């Protein structure tokens, strides 16, 4: 199979020009003006933008969590991602405390293999770092191509590690050529505030938000940044939401430190006023919670200042029946919200169309930086000769409305119901094959490949 895409406006993190793209098999083989190469299929992209396939490095598919499972499995989740222009996702394997990393990897593989529609990779979440798990780090990096290790500073008793384990993990990961990523919130303060609100009979979703104030994230981010400085381990903070946490990273630049920062689309476009609508607010119960308008302004500025490197989703959907597990107690509402399908279009509409970020910055944070930071570049994340032909053909003028009736995620509500967007995904190619065309998915489950990642550098 070969494909010739004619006259699209190609946008990378650094370039912006009109040209043709010739794809042979899975790979981009030529880019140029007026290419005259015979191809099995020709696509006219006049008037369209062409982006590299999006990379969402923070998703939770089919994940056992808070007494249930996230409702998108590998098939529905990666298919919805493709509909939204995201061709590669990185999911999180969760170690069970007391068990090996390997046993968790096997469990995740059994859910992913043969089911993914789009490409995927794994981060390994280390929830119990000890002499045995220490031995597995090198093996994961060198044999499995899993080079990033997630940690939780919250969710005590299930996922959280203490600072002693954090420092030891960082030392080992640095030695072996990997990266430590973190959910940086102060678990003890959150546990205290949660218990206090419950004892006072304050049980609505609003109290989920009030149990995780900004200080819990600012403090943990600052502590994590200090541990990263001490160990020299390449480090990345996931789903940053607020000004206080971003300032911890900003301060670290004054001593020449680099910490990678991810935010998620919801923290840029939604705010905590959504928790005021009684149980309806459960749709946005996630951790960390949505914040204030001033935090949105900080995050957009952080993107333009190069402090925030990645816009992901933390996609972790639960159906309404699952959310209702916490109808009488906010602490039992499964944390997470659905977004895997809408990240690229929301970021374009709210970011590029509304004049907050440039087109090049858009590609940088949604495609290129995740590939670079997590060891997949230039195979993924850009448009160049030799790269995988993962491409998004995008109509920048088309208007459309988000609705549960139209989305492909396995969840029975939309957190963005009725949002009117400018800019729409038209066609998506994954490794040279047309995967999505005018809202139809043309590839089957099992099409998605596991992407082994390279050692990380800690700079991009
Ligand atoms: N936060 C969520 O909202 N869901 C999954 C895990 C997390 O940290
Ligand atoms: Zn998290
Ligand atoms: Zn997450």
């Amino acid at each position: 199979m070969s494909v010739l895409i004619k006259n699209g406006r190609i946008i990378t993190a650094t370039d912006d020009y009109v040209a043709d793209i010739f794809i042979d098999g899975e790979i981009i083989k030529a880019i140029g003006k007026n290419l005259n190469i015979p191809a099995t299929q020709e696509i006219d992209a006049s008037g369209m933008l062409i982006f590299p396939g999006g990379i969402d490095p923070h998703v939770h598919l089919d994940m056992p969590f808070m007494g249930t499972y996230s409702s998108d499995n590998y098939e529905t989740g990666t298919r919805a991602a493709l509909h939204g222009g995201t061709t590669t996702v990185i999911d999180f394997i969760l170690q069970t405390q007391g068990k090996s990393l390997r046993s968790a990897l096997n469990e995740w593989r059994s859910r992913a293999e043969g089911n993914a529609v789009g490409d995927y990779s794994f981060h390994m979440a280390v929830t119990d770092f000890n002499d045995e798990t220490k031995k597995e780090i090198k093996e994961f990096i060198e044999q499995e191509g899993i080079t990033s290790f997630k940690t939780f500073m919250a969710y005590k008793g299930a996922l959280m590690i203490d600072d002693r384990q954090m420092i030891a993990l960082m030392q080992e990961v640095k030695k072996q050529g990997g990266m430590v990523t973190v959910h940086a919130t102060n678990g003890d303060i959150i546990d205290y505030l949660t218990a206090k609100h419950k004892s006072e009979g304050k049980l609505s979703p609003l109290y989920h938000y009030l149990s995780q104030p900004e200080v819990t994230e600012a403090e943990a981010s600052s502590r994590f940044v200090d541990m990263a400085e001490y160990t020299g381990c390449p480090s990345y903070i996931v789903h940053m939401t607020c000004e206080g946490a971003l300032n911890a990273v900003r301060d670290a630049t004054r001593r020449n430190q680099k910490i990678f920062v991810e935010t998620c689309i919801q923290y840029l476009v939604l705010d905590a006023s959504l928790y005021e609508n009684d149980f309806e607010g459960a749709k946005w119960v996630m951790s960390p919670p949505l914040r204030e308008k001033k935090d949105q302004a900080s995050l957009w500025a952080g993107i333009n200042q190069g402090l925030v490197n990645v816009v992901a989703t933390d996609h972790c959907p639960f159906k309404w029946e699952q959310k209702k597990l916490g109808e009488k107690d906010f602490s039992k509402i499964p944390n997470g919200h659905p977004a895997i399908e809408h990240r690229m279009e929301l970021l374009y509409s709210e970011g590029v169309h509304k004049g907050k970020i440039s087109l090049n910055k858009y590609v940088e944070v949604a495609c290129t930086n995740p590939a670079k930071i997590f060891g997949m570049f230039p195979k993924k994340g850009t448009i160049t000769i030799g790269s995988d032909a993962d491409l998004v053909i995008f109509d920048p003028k088309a208007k459309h409305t988000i609705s549960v009736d139209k989305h492909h995620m396995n969840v029975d509500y939309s957190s963005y119901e009725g949002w009117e967007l400018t800019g729409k995904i038209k066609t998506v190619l994954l490794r040279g094959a047309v995967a999505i065309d005018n809202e139809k998915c043309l590839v089957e489950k099992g099409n998605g490949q596991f992407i082994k990642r390279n050692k990380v550098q800690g700079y991009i």
Side-chain angles (χ1 to χ4, degrees):
M1 271 296 286
S2 55
V3 184
L4 184 62
I5 305 174
K6 300 287 289 178
N7 291 315
R9 182 174 160 200
I10 298 170
I11 314 291
T12 69
T14 48
D15 303 311
D16 183 343
Y17 58 102
V18 174
D20 304 339
I21 301 174
F22 176 70
I23 300 158
D24 192 14
E26 300 194 338
I27 306 292
I28 297 173
K29 284 287 163 66
I31 303 174
K33 296 269 187 202
N34 306 315
L35 288 184
N36 192 8
I37 309 173
T40 331
Q41 187 179 3
E42 202 168 299
I43 299 173
D44 177 16
S46 310
M48 301 290 131
L49 304 178
I50 305 190
F51 305 131
I55 300 177
D56 187 343
H58 192 150
V59 306
H60 301 281
L61 302 176
D62 220 349
M63 178 177 77
F65 189 56
M66 296 185 73
T68 182
Y69 278 77
S70 56
S71 61
D72 264 320
N73 59 25
Y74 267 82
E75 180 184 355
T76 61
T78 59
R79 188 190 295 126
L82 283 176
H83 275 283
T86 292
T87 47
T88 304
V89 301
I90 315 183
D91 188 34
F92 291 84
I93 305 170
L94 300 185
Q95 177 194 8
T96 301
Q97 292 182 341
K99 293 196 178 168
S100 68
L101 304 185
R102 172 70 53 186
S103 65
L105 171 61
N106 292 341
E107 204 188 304
W108 255 256
R109 272 194 179 139
S110 72
R111 288 197 282 266
E113 280 177 0
N115 289 322
V117 187
D119 286 356
Y120 66 99
S121 188
F122 292 135
H123 304 284
M124 181 68 234
V126 180
T127 62
D128 187 0
F129 189 63
N130 53 46
D131 288 345
E132 291 309 307
T133 39
K134 183 177 174 184
K135 293 182 201 143
E136 298 186 271
I137 301 292
K138 183 177 163 72
E139 205 176 295
F140 267 61
I141 293 175
E142 293 191 350
Q143 289 164 28
E144 306 300 344
I146 297 172
T147 54
S148 43
F149 298 86
K150 165 87 178 285
T151 59
F152 290 87
M153 295 168 85
Y155 298 113
K156 205 171 184 171
L159 303 172
M160 179 168 154
I161 58 169
D162 61 21
D163 294 349
R164 177 181 172 159
Q165 292 180 81
M166 180 72 86
I167 287 279
L169 173 67
M170 282 177 157
Q171 287 185 335
E172 185 60 17
V173 169
K174 175 184 160 62
K175 186 169 154 201
Q176 304 303 343
M179 171 172 293
V180 167
T181 77
V182 69
H183 172 125
T185 59
N186 182 312
D188 284 322
I189 303 182
I190 293 169
D191 287 352
Y192 165 73
L193 290 174
T194 302
K196 179 172 184 292
H197 286 134
K198 285 169 63 166
S199 72
E200 291 166 355
K202 295 169 174 165
L203 298 167
S204 74
L206 175 66
Y207 291 93
H208 169 79
Y209 164 64
L210 294 174
S211 299
Q212 301 199 29
E214 180 175 4
V215 64
T216 59
E217 194 178 331
E219 184 282 329
S221 300
S222 171
R223 186 158 34 102
F224 177 78
V225 164
D226 285 347
M227 291 187 279
E229 164 75 351
Y230 173 69
T231 59
C233 183
S235 299
Y236 177 104
I237 301 179
V238 306
H239 57 39
M240 187 176 282
T241 70
C242 59
E243 186 178 23
L246 189 59
N247 281 341
V249 173
R250 182 175 277 121
D251 286 348
T253 65
R254 293 159 64 90
R255 61 184 180 202
N256 307 319
Q257 192 182 354
K258 173 65 192 167
I259 294 280
F260 293 112
V261 174
E262 166 198 287
T263 189
C264 296
I265 188 66
Q266 59 272 25
Y267 302 121
L268 290 165
V269 304
L270 302 175
D271 68 71
S273 60
L274 289 164
Y275 298 122
E276 284 159 17
N277 307 327
D278 290 325
F279 195 67
E280 183 80 5
K283 289 179 184 168
W284 299 279
V285 164
M286 61 186 86
S287 292
L290 301 173
R291 303 277 184 207
E292 309 294 321
K293 294 260 188 249
K294 60 108 182 147
D295 298 299
Q296 293 179 355
S298 285
L299 293 172
W300 285 112
I303 289 175
N304 283 317
Q305 292 171 332
L307 286 170
V308 176
N309 310 102
V310 170
V311 177
T313 58
D314 197 6
H315 176 72
C316 191
F318 296 100
K319 291 189 174 179
W320 194 238
E321 271 310 301
Q322 295 174 289
K323 286 284 184 181
K324 277 171 45 186
L325 290 169
E327 212 165 12
K328 296 197 171 67
D329 173 356
F330 69 85
S331 70
K332 297 198 165 54
I333 301 171
N335 286 199
H337 104 307
I340 202 167
E341 188 167 349
H342 299 306
R343 178 184 70 121
M344 298 284 285
E345 288 176 339
L346 275 169
L347 186 62
Y348 181 89
S349 191
E350 294 291 308
V352 180
H353 178 67
K354 292 195 174 167
K356 292 195 174 79
I357 56 171
S358 71
L359 267 174
N360 297 119
K361 184 58 91 175
Y362 172 78
V363 170
E364 185 187 322
V365 296
C367 318
T368 314
N369 281 349
K372 285 185 173 173
I373 292 168
F374 292 112
M376 294 186 278
F377 185 86
K379 176 180 169 65
K380 303 284 189 193
T382 194
I383 302 175
T384 195
I385 293 167
S387 292
D388 281 4
D390 298 350
L391 298 168
V392 176
I393 303 178
F394 189 86
D395 183 345
K397 296 207 178 97
K399 293 191 188 299
H400 62 115
T401 306
I402 297 181
S403 172
V404 62
D405 300 334
K406 293 192 273 181
H407 77 205
H408 302 85
M409 300 175 287
N410 184 34
V411 57
D412 50 1
Y413 62 87
S414 172
S415 300
Y416 303 90
E417 187 66 38
W419 277 54
E420 289 179 12
L421 304 188
T422 300
K424 191 172 189 319
I425 311 284
K426 195 163 177 285
T427 305
V428 179
L429 289 91
L430 173 60
R431 284 179 281 102
V434 175
I436 303 292
D437 195 34
N438 287 316
E439 298 180 21
K440 283 208 177 57
C441 184
L442 306 178
V443 285
E444 306 277 320
K445 85 176 195 175
N447 175 68
Q449 285 183 1
F450 176 73
I451 305 298
K452 273 192 168 187
R453 295 184 284 113
N454 298 322
K455 287 189 178 182
V456 303
Q457 294 169 310
Y459 51 83
I460 51 175

